[in-house]
Amino acid sequence: MTTATQSGSDERPARRSRPARKPKPQGQWLIDGREPLNNDERIKQEDAGLAVKQRVIDCYSKEGFSSIPAEDLAPRFKWIGLYTQRKQDMGPEHTGVATNAELQDEYFMLRIRLDGGQTSTAGLRAIGEISRDFARDTADFSDRQNVQLHWIRIEDMPAIWDKLEAVDLDTHFGCGDVPRVILGSPVAGVAEDEIIDGTNAIRRIKNEYLAGDEFSNLPRKFKSAVSGSPRLDVTHEVQDVAFVGVNHPEHGAGFDITVGGGLSTNPMLAVRLGAWVPEDQVPEVWAGVCRIFRDYGYRRLRNRARLKFLVAEWGAEKFRQVLEDDYLGYKLIDGPAPEPWEKDRDHIGVHKQKDGLNYVGVKPAVGRVVGSDIVKLADIAEKYGVSRIRTTVMKELILLDVEDEKVEPLMAELDELGLSANPSAFKRGIISCTGLEFCKLALVTTRERAITLVDELEERIGDLDTPISIALNGCPNSCARTQIADIGLKGQIVVDDNDNRVEGFQVHLGGTLGMDANFGRKLRGHKVTSAELGDYVERLVSNFKEQREDGELFRQWLVRATDEDLQ
């Protein structure tokens, strides 16, 4: 008889369990400590950028571009709204191959911050004059309600800052790992249908929390929005934190809060915390969310250093609990979701204000207006009694407080500047990023291609009686929000019919915000060259016009259309 201990037994000696591998630190300050885990974090810890403005004034503006150390040039200059722009002779073949130092020119893009999209005619004129005098007449109104100028020399920055300060404008935290401009309804305080005015909340956030250094070193950028408009006019679904107007059945008008939205290469929709926030609590709740990001956000890998990844891991329930227990010290009130708004979210055209006056919304061609024309626009606005100007997330300009009898003559003069209050559906719904013209990350030309695309579609098709959004982006980072456009076009190098490598786009279709918010779909292997783009969009829209049902929107048709119809 054999025993279990004899040779040949099936019994094996028990294996020793290995200790669980300790997860890598993610750079979460309250979990892993503050030891920098990469070079960006080291640079920020040594000097997060707040002092660099004074160095520009005292040294670099006097000694020139060559005097700027690399670590100030990037990333610290971002904290004061400055990016080096792309050299004009560096084509798309250099993107992702050449270093940033090789791609960058000795000129800058300057981002002027317009929180809530608000400025005055004096501010608008100052922007136009800076563009004319220091930026080769360039000016782009962005989908973040900012204004961006190009060809800026470091020598001119002190004079530019002086001119901006005189009209209560600045470039502070225009870029970088900081709270960026706070989006706001462009018709806050004046719209007839407004639920609640978020202007004071935006002003308090900027004055109380952004003037100091508390939020000067976040894991990455932090995007915010506050709007009391029922139009949901601040793309709240793709912001790190957003407050949108709702009416609570017991407590009245306030704000619903969402967190964790964002696009780029890993798009995520924001989630509701299910809380109702009164207007006077918005700033401290905003600060609480920002502090969670600062303390728990992932800092080890830059491509995961956004709030959306933390929210995806924690979920809404835990996020709200941490916010309430550890950062606010009180429970938030449960509240309703905002009412859906499925029509256009923009403010194009003439609309009544609650005081009986009017606001007029116009659309520049993809947000571009030359500086000298901005000065003319300020003159026209003042001629008709307008002193308040607003920008929007759709790159529109809005003139407030227009008297009834002045509306028509004002619109006529704006038309002469190329600013229409009644643009075609194509011009109304198109946006683009800066593209290869100035951006070091871009692969294709976008802004000029978008302008010519609108011209082509208007000539071939005329107009549509339904909204259509088209977004052209020069790289995968989605600055032009390609994933939430009816037709999203992500720039890349493609091969044409003659096997030439040329500029082109990967096509995304059916992205949308609202009740059925989604990031659209890519048709497998479907790409178009830049030269073919007009033909493709014409074909797509023509198929829609032939097949549409009564009252059907373009975005609704995209959902049911066959792949063949969408090619």
Side-chain angles (χ1 to χ4, degrees):
M1 179 180 293
T2 59
T3 66
T5 58
Q6 287 181 305
S7 178
S9 168
D10 288 338
E11 187 171 313
R12 298 286 186 270
R15 292 184 178 180
R16 292 183 181 180
S17 60
R18 295 180 180 178
R21 181 177 296 177
K22 186 178 180 180
K24 286 185 177 181
Q26 296 302 310
Q28 296 171 281
W29 278 2
L30 286 190
I31 295 176
D32 304 314
R34 298 197 180 191
E35 183 68 24
L37 299 182
N38 56 50
N39 198 46
D40 289 281
E41 289 299 311
R42 176 192 63 79
I43 292 171
K44 291 190 293 178
Q45 193 170 99
E46 291 174 359
D47 176 357
L50 291 181
V52 77
K53 180 177 180 180
Q54 199 59 46
R55 293 198 288 275
V56 171
I57 295 170
D58 295 340
C59 303
Y60 309 144
S61 64
K62 298 174 182 177
E63 299 172 11
F65 186 90
S66 62
S67 69
I68 306 169
E71 290 183 356
D72 275 0
L73 195 60
R76 295 189 185 113
F77 268 26
K78 296 177 184 179
W79 272 243
I80 52 174
L82 287 169
Y83 278 96
T84 52
Q85 68 185 39
R86 188 187 189 102
K87 287 180 179 176
Q88 297 298 289
D89 60 349
M90 300 288 276
E93 68 275 11
H94 298 288
T95 300
V97 177
T99 65
N100 191 66
E102 292 169 331
L103 284 168
Q104 70 190 12
D105 209 337
E106 295 189 0
Y107 297 94
F108 295 91
M109 181 274 286
L110 175 66
R111 184 173 291 159
I112 300 171
R113 183 175 180 134
L114 299 178
D115 288 273
Q118 299 192 10
T119 190
S120 61
T121 47
L124 193 69
R125 179 176 289 104
I127 291 169
E129 290 173 349
I130 291 169
S131 168
R132 181 194 64 199
D133 299 340
F134 300 109
R136 302 189 186 181
D137 235 11
T138 61
D140 294 316
F141 292 91
S142 81
D143 60 4
R144 296 292 302 170
Q145 296 184 279
N146 289 315
V147 181
Q148 297 183 171
L149 311 180
H150 293 279
W151 298 107
I152 297 294
R153 302 186 319 136
I154 197 65
E155 292 87 348
D156 295 326
M157 282 309 303
I160 291 172
W161 279 323
D162 286 345
K163 196 169 184 68
L164 290 174
E165 185 177 348
V167 291
D168 199 29
L169 294 177
D170 62 76
T171 67
H172 179 68
F173 285 179
C175 321
D177 298 350
V178 294
R180 303 288 183 88
V181 63
I182 305 161
L183 303 182
S185 173
V187 291
V190 303
E192 277 191 318
D193 59 355
E194 184 174 58
I195 297 169
I196 187 170
D197 184 358
T199 302
N200 190 53
I202 294 174
R203 185 179 298 118
R204 284 185 54 203
I205 291 169
K206 186 173 184 182
N207 293 341
E208 297 174 18
Y209 294 108
L210 301 187
D213 63 357
E214 181 180 5
F215 298 124
S216 63
N217 183 358
L218 299 179
R220 272 191 72 195
K221 56 190 171 186
F222 184 75
K223 296 185 176 182
S224 319
V226 182
S227 172
S229 172
R231 289 175 177 260
L232 305 175
D233 53 4
V234 289
T235 60
H236 67 280
E237 298 97 331
V238 291
Q239 306 301 320
D240 291 291
V241 62
F243 301 84
V244 295
V246 292
N247 280 304
H248 194 285
E250 298 176 19
H251 301 284
F255 295 90
D256 181 60
I257 176 174
T258 55
V259 297
L263 293 175
S264 193
T265 54
N266 287 284
M268 299 185 193
L269 292 169
V271 298
R272 294 186 57 243
L273 295 187
W276 176 88
V277 183
E279 186 270 335
D280 63 342
Q281 289 182 2
V282 168
E284 62 184 336
V285 175
W286 177 93
V289 174
C290 197
R291 287 170 180 141
I292 289 177
F293 182 44
R294 177 197 63 195
D295 296 343
Y296 289 102
Y298 309 133
R299 293 172 181 260
R300 184 173 71 88
L301 299 176
R302 293 285 290 175
N303 62 359
R304 282 181 53 81
R306 291 294 303 274
L307 183 65
K308 62 187 178 183
F309 294 103
L310 182 67
V311 172
E313 180 185 326
W314 280 9
E317 184 178 353
K318 177 178 178 179
F319 194 97
R320 177 173 171 177
Q321 179 185 352
V322 172
L323 174 63
E324 293 172 336
D325 295 349
D326 299 345
Y327 289 86
L328 296 178
Y330 58 83
K331 296 294 183 182
L332 296 169
I333 299 170
D334 290 342
E339 293 291 327
W341 182 277
E342 295 305 309
K343 295 175 283 185
D344 270 334
R345 294 183 174 191
D346 64 22
H347 297 276
I348 289 292
V350 180
H351 303 264
K352 273 295 179 186
Q353 298 180 180
K354 63 178 64 175
D355 60 5
L357 297 175
N358 306 276
Y359 68 84
V360 179
V362 297
K363 183 70 179 277
V366 294
R368 174 155 290 182
V369 185
V370 298
S372 51
D373 280 350
I374 293 177
V375 175
K376 293 177 184 176
L377 174 59
D379 292 339
I380 292 170
E382 289 185 346
K383 174 181 176 181
Y384 290 97
V386 172
S387 63
R388 298 191 291 171
I389 305 292
R390 301 291 183 261
T391 61
T392 83
V393 298
M394 286 300 295
K395 303 189 178 188
E396 304 142 352
L397 291 168
I398 298 179
L399 290 74
L400 305 186
D401 311 321
V402 183
E403 297 173 3
D404 288 345
E405 63 274 14
K406 296 180 180 179
V407 168
E408 292 299 328
L410 169 63
M411 290 172 60
E413 292 204 39
L414 294 176
D415 264 329
E416 292 180 7
L417 277 183
L419 302 174
S420 174
N422 187 31
S424 71
F426 300 114
K427 186 174 183 179
R428 181 172 184 166
I430 199 164
I431 63 172
S432 79
C433 68
T434 298
L436 194 59
E437 182 181 12
F438 295 118
C439 179
K440 299 188 292 291
L441 300 176
L443 293 161
V444 303
T445 302
T446 53
R447 196 177 301 276
E448 290 304 319
R449 187 63 189 95
I451 292 172
T452 58
L453 177 61
V454 168
D455 291 341
E456 290 167 7
L457 295 174
E458 288 178 342
E459 180 179 346
R460 300 180 189 183
I461 299 175
D463 200 357
L464 283 177
D465 60 354
T466 183
I468 181 170
S469 58
I470 305 174
L472 286 78
N473 214 80
C475 76
N477 288 328
S478 199
C479 294
R481 307 194 298 256
T482 51
Q483 296 106 323
I484 55 174
D486 294 328
I487 305 174
L489 302 163
K490 183 177 74 174
Q492 55 185 230
I493 300 301
V494 301
V495 178
D496 67 12
D497 293 338
N498 298 315
D499 293 327
N500 297 312
R501 291 171 56 81
V502 297
E503 293 184 24
F505 299 90
Q506 185 177 58
V507 180
H508 296 246
L509 296 173
T512 186
L513 298 179
M515 287 185 66
D516 301 315
N518 71 88
F519 295 124
R521 58 176 167 142
K522 292 182 286 186
L523 299 183
R524 181 174 298 177
H526 185 48
K527 300 171 184 179
V528 296
T529 68
S530 182
E532 296 169 336
L533 188 57
D535 294 337
Y536 170 68
V537 178
E538 179 189 11
R539 185 164 65 249
L540 189 64
V541 173
S542 297
N543 288 342
F544 160 69
K545 292 178 70 174
E546 291 173 4
Q547 300 176 17
R548 71 183 298 191
E549 298 172 354
D550 289 344
E552 188 174 33
L553 300 175
F554 183 73
R555 63 181 66 113
Q556 294 168 335
W557 172 78
L558 287 172
V559 173
R560 67 177 182 83
T562 67
D563 284 2
E564 183 179 1
D565 292 330
L566 301 178
Q567 294 285 350

